[in-house]
Amino acid sequence: MKDEESGNRLGSYLRARRELVSPAQAGLPPGGNRRVPGLRREEVALLAGISPDYYLRLERGRDKNPSPQVLESLARVLHLDDIERTYLLGLAAARPRAPRRKRPEHVPARVHQLLAHLQIPAFVEGRAFDVLASNPMAVALSPRLRPGENRLRSLLLDPEEQAFHQDWTKATADFVATLRTTIGDDTDNPRFVELVGELALSSQRFRTLWARHDVRSLDGGTTTVHHPVVGELRLHRDKLAIDDVILVVYYPDKDGDSDEKLRLLAALSDTESAGTAHDRPTDVPHSKAP
């Protein structure tokens, strides 16, 4: 990741996005002998109103200071949405910076108290999707939401997590694009380097998605999951930033089918916890010999 991101992030992003735009999307004839996917460099330059030589310099990292007007034109040609356009502008605006002091991600004590009071699945995640804390309902929803797990690693490598998501293809695309957005210019962060390196070696799906350079914001939304005990659940998701971490909550429509199933899951979880506590041996004082 370090060579790709720190060396020529702007050029890598332009090239990846160029390859995703078809000639038809750009209003060009498809042609019968195209050796590259998407648009050619000279086509992007023509449509953006810049010279092919200048665009080539941008992709190869020889010119890292394009004007906002040039970037806006490229964003239009590459069909970038608002998040992708902002990301492109940020790549050009990035400047060398002093190394950041890495602080461990910390869950405030008050958030642990909040988790204990919430009756819906809730957990705290770090910037790299590491689960830092969770309540019993979150673990009942998915064992992969225990502290110490990584949500993206589980999603890509754990067969049970893959079966858990109704639309695993969309979920993986959203998570990987969000990770790239989160990383931004913090490319020397050891946790990001470690996670990207691990997944690049172990997951073809990750390698494919990472090469696309998609960027996205994974905040609120609605998802459908398949729980092995209570079945299909349709849940809303909200993310709330608290200090340096993120509180994630899942909740159903009130009094709907998923609400009933979630209450059933809570009851089953309470029963299991009580059974575990009942089976746990207790310390009995040794009586003295007469």
Side-chain angles (χ1 to χ4, degrees):
M1 183 180 72
K2 192 172 183 61
D3 291 341
E4 170 200 322
E5 301 289 3
S6 300
N8 182 20
R9 297 172 62 219
L10 175 61
S12 296
Y13 187 66
L14 289 173
R15 182 168 56 255
R17 303 317 297 180
R18 169 172 64 82
E19 293 175 351
L20 295 174
V21 180
S22 69
Q25 287 177 300
L28 299 171
N33 187 28
R34 303 184 69 88
R35 294 180 299 174
V36 295
L39 298 179
R40 301 184 179 103
R41 291 189 182 96
E42 57 269 23
E43 291 171 335
V44 174
L46 173 66
L47 293 169
I50 59 179
S51 73
D53 179 66
Y54 180 59
Y55 180 76
L56 179 62
R57 295 205 309 271
L58 287 177
E59 270 205 10
R60 292 186 173 176
R62 295 174 184 169
D63 189 323
K64 299 184 179 181
N65 297 287
S67 69
Q69 292 79 8
V70 166
L71 293 174
E72 292 286 358
S73 295
L74 291 171
R76 171 181 53 80
V77 172
L78 299 175
H79 295 264
L80 303 187
D81 61 24
D82 288 343
I83 294 176
E84 293 164 341
R85 171 183 159 276
T86 300
Y87 184 80
L88 174 63
L89 293 170
L91 290 177
R95 295 289 183 270
R97 56 178 172 78
R100 297 175 182 174
R101 183 179 180 182
K102 305 300 186 300
R103 296 186 303 171
E105 293 175 317
H106 172 70
V107 181
R110 70 184 189 281
V111 177
H112 284 288
Q113 294 293 328
L114 175 60
L115 287 174
H117 284 285
L118 289 175
Q119 301 301 306
I120 55 176
F123 59 95
V124 177
E125 68 180 15
R127 296 176 65 211
F129 294 117
D130 293 313
V131 180
L132 306 176
S134 59
N135 68 2
M137 276 302 296
V139 178
L141 179 65
S142 170
R144 279 80 62 190
L145 293 179
R146 287 191 179 95
E149 298 283 344
N150 179 272
R151 298 183 66 208
L152 181 54
R153 184 195 297 113
S154 297
L155 185 63
L156 289 165
L157 304 180
D158 190 319
E160 291 185 2
E161 185 70 6
Q162 294 170 11
F164 183 70
H165 291 265
Q166 183 187 64
D167 193 342
W168 179 80
T169 300
K170 182 179 185 301
T172 53
D174 287 343
F175 268 68
V176 173
T178 300
L179 178 65
R180 187 177 282 281
T181 306
T182 301
I183 289 175
D185 66 349
D186 195 13
T187 56
D188 61 349
N189 184 299
R191 181 65 188 118
F192 290 143
V193 173
E194 176 188 34
L195 181 63
V196 171
E198 176 190 0
L199 295 177
L201 289 173
S202 55
S203 170
Q204 176 59 51
R205 175 65 175 162
F206 179 81
R207 292 192 293 271
T208 299
L209 292 171
W210 194 249
R212 288 173 56 92
H213 285 249
D214 289 332
V215 289
R216 205 162 301 161
S217 177
L218 186 59
D219 297 320
T222 301
T223 187
T224 300
V225 298
H226 296 287
H227 192 276
V229 176
V230 299
E232 183 176 290
L233 292 166
R234 185 175 183 272
L235 302 172
H236 305 297
R237 176 192 64 243
D238 276 309
K239 290 191 169 191
L240 309 171
I242 301 179
D243 296 346
D244 296 329
V245 296
I246 299 169
L247 173 67
V248 186
V249 294
Y250 283 94
Y251 56 96
D253 289 328
K254 186 170 177 57
D255 298 326
D257 181 60
S258 293
D259 190 14
E260 182 180 346
K261 290 179 179 178
L262 206 60
R263 288 199 298 269
L264 173 60
L265 184 61
L268 293 173
S269 177
D270 288 342
T271 300
E272 182 178 340
S273 297
T276 302
H278 179 74
D279 292 339
R280 186 180 302 124
T282 55
D283 292 329
V284 180
H286 294 288
S287 59
K288 293 183 180 180

